[in-house]
Amino acid sequence: MADSEEALWRRVFELAEKGRYSTSPNPRVGAVLVSPEGEIVGEGFHERAGDPHAEVHCLEQAGEKARGATLYINIEPCAHFGRTPPCVDALIEAGIGRVVASLEDPDPRTSGKGFRKLEEAGIEVDTGSHANEARRLNEEFIVSVRHQRPHVLLKWGASLDGKIATRFGHSHWITSEEARGDSMKLREQCDAILVGAGTILADDPQLTRRLGRNTSIIPHRKIVVDARLRVDPAALVFSPDVPGEAWLVTSKPEEDPDLVPFRERGVNVLSLPDGPTRVDLKALLSYLHRLEVRSLLVEGGGTTAWNFLDAGLVDRVVAYIAPILIGGETAPGPIRGDGVPELKLARRLMGLEVSTIGPDVRISGRIA
């Protein structure tokens, strides 16, 4: 590939990255429009659901120069009416000559239809360039569309010997300020945060976003899974003064009087039948998908982490490992539950990304 074309693709992904914290429930999209003479005549990215798409920004910048131009884009232009009109119609009307796209849109409302409509209008279509990078950029959107559930990211911070607290429960702070700051970015880019009852009882967290980056139309949801209703309605996460939409997911029936104090505090209560892990996690994720939650960050604790893993519902793991040794047979680790009986059944991470953040190591990978 020519250096100039490689530079164009770098620009496409730079533009798409600008929507990391804002496009949900839509994908992150960047686009560059190049005239037949090789001049960049338009650029754009999708900033927020309901706002113009990347293609529209390109066409507005290019004007008449769009005629005969080539559009470089990381995903198929949409062919359906959603919050905005179909982009393929605007591209055809502008007289685009060629579209070079990384991926077919997995959304069945567009999947392949956008490309076919462009080709039927006499526009050349090329696909597949930088497809792996495009999939990684929009893995949350792709998983949610294909599986009708949110993409699940499991995160924890631990010592080098795999402890998330001392045997007395002391955990503030195992990882560095730099690592904790990086983990806050995960909260910003996910639509919802989930913890189990044990985390609320041990730490009483607020589960708030603190960086102010997320401008998505999807409300920030803080979800507590508590089958047996062990948590207190007075917990900070349920406070009406703490930002975010609080949810309690339980196996208790909706009419249980113990749920009244939660509702009185404005908490959204979701009663689900028992599943293999007391609360039916698959039913929960299906419900969240209907609320347009495309990405879910699971922050603990150990039993909750295992329940999601055991159900085959974890897509990616991010672990922050601090260079300290805690020890202690009863000191907790990030994953509890029954565990696997044989090593061949252990969950393996693929596509590992390893980096240092302050004194700590950040390890990320997707579940094979």
Side-chain angles (χ1 to χ4, degrees):
M1 178 180 292
D3 289 343
S4 59
E5 190 170 356
E6 186 63 41
L8 288 173
W9 278 112
R10 285 199 301 271
R11 184 58 179 158
V12 166
F13 286 103
E14 285 174 3
L15 290 164
E17 186 66 31
K18 292 177 181 288
R20 172 159 296 278
Y21 304 105
S22 58
T23 64
S24 188
N26 293 348
R28 304 171 182 119
V29 185
V32 176
L33 193 60
V34 182
S35 72
E37 294 75 32
E39 174 192 4
I40 294 179
V41 295
E43 292 185 340
F45 71 96
H46 183 44
E47 183 173 345
R48 193 170 186 264
D51 288 353
H53 290 188
E55 302 94 314
V56 174
H57 289 300
C58 284
L59 296 176
E60 288 177 348
Q61 288 182 22
E64 286 301 315
K65 293 182 179 180
R67 191 159 299 279
T70 296
L71 180 74
Y72 291 84
I73 189 167
N74 58 295
I75 198 167
E76 178 181 9
C78 65
H80 65 278
F81 281 91
R83 292 181 173 92
T84 58
C87 288
V88 290
D89 293 346
L91 294 172
I92 291 169
E93 184 177 350
I96 295 295
R98 181 174 175 237
V99 171
V100 184
S102 300
L103 295 178
E104 182 178 300
D105 189 336
D107 189 329
R109 295 174 298 175
T110 281
S111 186
K113 298 181 180 70
F115 290 150
R116 286 195 297 275
K117 194 168 184 178
L118 292 169
E119 290 174 331
E120 289 168 358
I123 297 172
E124 182 184 349
V125 175
D126 292 323
T127 62
S129 185
H130 291 72
N132 287 336
E133 188 173 356
R135 278 189 286 267
R136 178 70 177 87
L137 175 70
N138 276 312
E139 63 180 335
E140 299 95 340
F141 175 76
I142 293 170
V143 165
S144 68
V145 171
R146 288 180 174 170
H147 300 290
Q148 298 295 290
R149 65 163 176 81
H151 173 277
V152 175
L153 173 60
L154 176 61
K155 185 269 293 185
W156 68 78
S159 63
L160 187 58
D161 57 338
K163 308 296 183 181
I164 60 171
T166 70
R167 68 184 190 276
F168 298 111
H170 299 161
S171 60
H172 294 173
W173 294 100
I174 288 177
T175 55
S176 65
E177 184 177 351
E178 293 92 336
R180 298 195 302 275
D182 186 80
S183 73
M184 284 294 111
K185 296 178 184 177
L186 301 179
R187 288 189 179 184
E188 294 286 329
Q189 72 183 47
C190 289
D191 295 329
I193 304 170
L194 182 147
V195 298
T199 296
I200 300 299
L201 294 172
D203 299 330
D204 197 19
Q206 297 184 40
L207 303 182
T208 53
R209 292 176 180 149
R210 301 169 195 172
L211 304 182
R213 296 187 182 186
N214 191 293
T215 58
S216 164
I217 66 170
I218 305 300
H220 172 49
R221 294 185 171 99
K222 306 170 297 179
I223 301 167
V224 178
V225 176
D226 184 4
R228 293 174 289 170
L229 206 57
R230 295 183 293 150
V231 298
D232 192 321
L236 285 176
V237 70
F238 300 130
S239 171
D241 298 324
V242 174
E245 197 176 274
W247 285 74
L248 173 67
V249 183
T250 182
S251 295
K252 296 286 186 179
E254 290 185 2
E255 62 275 11
D256 193 309
D258 289 339
L259 295 175
V260 172
F262 293 93
R263 294 193 176 100
E264 289 177 343
R265 299 202 82 192
V267 177
N268 298 277
V269 177
L270 177 61
S271 295
L272 290 175
D274 285 347
T277 59
R278 289 188 177 271
V279 166
D280 189 334
L281 295 180
K282 290 184 178 179
L284 169 59
L285 294 190
S286 178
Y287 184 89
L288 292 176
H289 185 267
R290 294 195 294 274
L291 295 179
E292 292 194 300
V293 172
R294 298 293 178 255
S295 52
L296 177 67
L297 177 63
V298 177
E299 290 200 351
T303 300
T304 299
W306 169 252
N307 289 341
F308 271 89
L309 280 168
D310 192 41
L313 296 173
V314 176
D315 299 291
R316 180 168 288 274
V317 170
V318 174
Y320 298 91
I321 307 301
I324 61 173
L325 303 172
I326 293 176
E329 290 185 8
T330 59
I335 301 175
R336 303 181 75 174
D338 294 332
V340 297
E342 302 175 70
L343 282 179
K344 66 180 181 180
L345 300 176
R347 272 58 173 178
R348 185 172 296 276
L349 299 184
M350 304 288 288
L352 286 183
E353 300 171 5
V354 182
S355 60
T356 56
I357 297 181
D360 302 326
V361 176
R362 182 187 195 271
I363 301 173
S364 174
R366 67 181 185 279
I367 298 291

